[in-house]
Amino acid sequence: NAGVMQNPRHLVRRRGQEARLRCSPMKGHSHVYWYRQLPEEGLKFMVYLQKENIIDESGMPKERFSAEFPKEGPSILRIQQVVRGDSAAYFCASSGQGGSGANVLTFGAGSRLTVL
Amino acid sequence: DQQVKQNSPSLSVQEGRISILNCDYTNSMFDYFLWYKKYPAEGPTFLISISSIKDKNEDGRFTVFLNKSAKHLSLHIVPSQPGDSAVYFCAASYPGNQFYFGTGTSLTVIP
């Protein structure tokens, strides 16, 4: 019974390339959240998705970043034309419901993006 | 706009003593609060939670206290152990919304 699976665990890209980070939620979970942790900083919310829907993308940079959670397959966080400032750990989390209730976010181990 | 705040970036405690980590929030709509623990190079792991209808929840060495009037919660760890050394994040949520995280407190338990 795998938890939240993220891949790749480590990704190195040169400036201007694209980065794709994948997240498979826990079995039975239909809500996915992406967070970013910059060096020496806390967890910054990026986007909250349900299957085929973006519920809240208020934390996503307006340009170059996009996220999806298709009906089939993992959620994908896509960063186009990466810059050095995108270097961070990107964490995916899933839950059975959105917010509240006896509801807990379960996190993956993270994907560490390094932009050269 | 930081809706959940952890004002102490770090805390050092002697082994066996009590560790108290604090968290403040601004949104009165929050009805569920959680604490996560994070080791370097790993994802955060859930520690303990509390609903807004309670003011205390205990699980072994970990107790979370909620003061709704002050919009404040705290995590008590007693007795503290060296393995508790990690970064602790508090988080809050309300129905249908994202989970808001604080900036974390790095706890060091000195043997």
Side-chain angles (χ1 to χ4, degrees), chain B residues 45-65:
Chain B
T45 55
F46 171 72
L47 199 54
I48 192 169
S49 63
I50 188 168
S51 164
S52 61
I53 62 173
K54 294 186 175 182
D55 55 18
K56 177 182 175 181
N57 188 28
E58 190 172 352
D59 183 1
R61 296 186 296 115
F62 303 91
T63 303
V64 56
F65 295 92

Side-chain angles (χ1 to χ4, degrees), chain A residues 9 33 35 37 41-45 48 55-56 58 91 95 97-109 112, chain B residues 2 31-32 34 36 38-46 49 87 89 93-104:
Chain A
R9 290 293 310 276
Y33 308 74
Y35 289 83
Q37 185 178 28
E41 293 190 13
L43 294 166
K44 298 286 190 184
F45 168 77
Y48 161 32
I55 306 303
D56 181 352
S58 59
F91 291 98
S95 70
Q97 306 174 47
S100 193
N103 200 22
V104 172
L105 280 184
T106 301
F107 280 86
R112 278 150 188 84
Chain B
Q2 191 74 24
D31 67 351
Y32 192 60
L34 312 91
Y36 282 81
K38 185 182 182 302
Y39 293 117
E42 295 183 11
T45 55
F46 171 72
S49 63
V87 177
F89 292 97
S93 70
Y94 60 99
N97 278 270
Q98 56 157 300
F99 289 72
Y100 295 82
F101 281 80
T103 50

Side-chain angles (χ1 to χ4, degrees), chain A residues 15-30:
Chain A
R15 281 180 298 169
Q17 292 184 320
E18 179 180 287
R20 284 191 182 223
L21 309 177
R22 295 174 190 78
C23 170
S24 296
M26 277 190 72
K27 188 175 181 180
H29 283 187
S30 59

Side-chain angles (χ1 to χ4, degrees), chain A residues 36-44 84-91 112-114, chain B residues 103:
Chain A
R36 175 166 67 172
Q37 185 178 28
L38 294 167
E40 306 302 321
E41 293 190 13
L43 294 166
K44 298 286 190 184
R84 288 215 174 101
D86 297 331
S87 296
Y90 292 82
F91 291 98
R112 278 150 188 84
L113 172 65
T114 301
Chain B
T103 50

Side-chain angles (χ1 to χ4, degrees), chain B residues 4-40:
Chain B
V4 177
K5 299 178 184 178
Q6 293 176 258
N7 293 317
S8 297
S10 62
L11 175 69
S12 290
V13 171
Q14 286 288 138
E15 181 178 4
R17 300 287 186 101
I18 185 171
S19 295
I20 300 176
L21 296 96
N22 293 303
C23 180
D24 297 293
Y25 62 95
T26 57
N27 192 337
S28 57
M29 292 183 65
F30 288 143
D31 67 351
Y32 192 60
F33 304 88
L34 312 91
W35 283 94
Y36 282 81
K37 177 179 178 179
K38 185 182 182 302
Y39 293 117

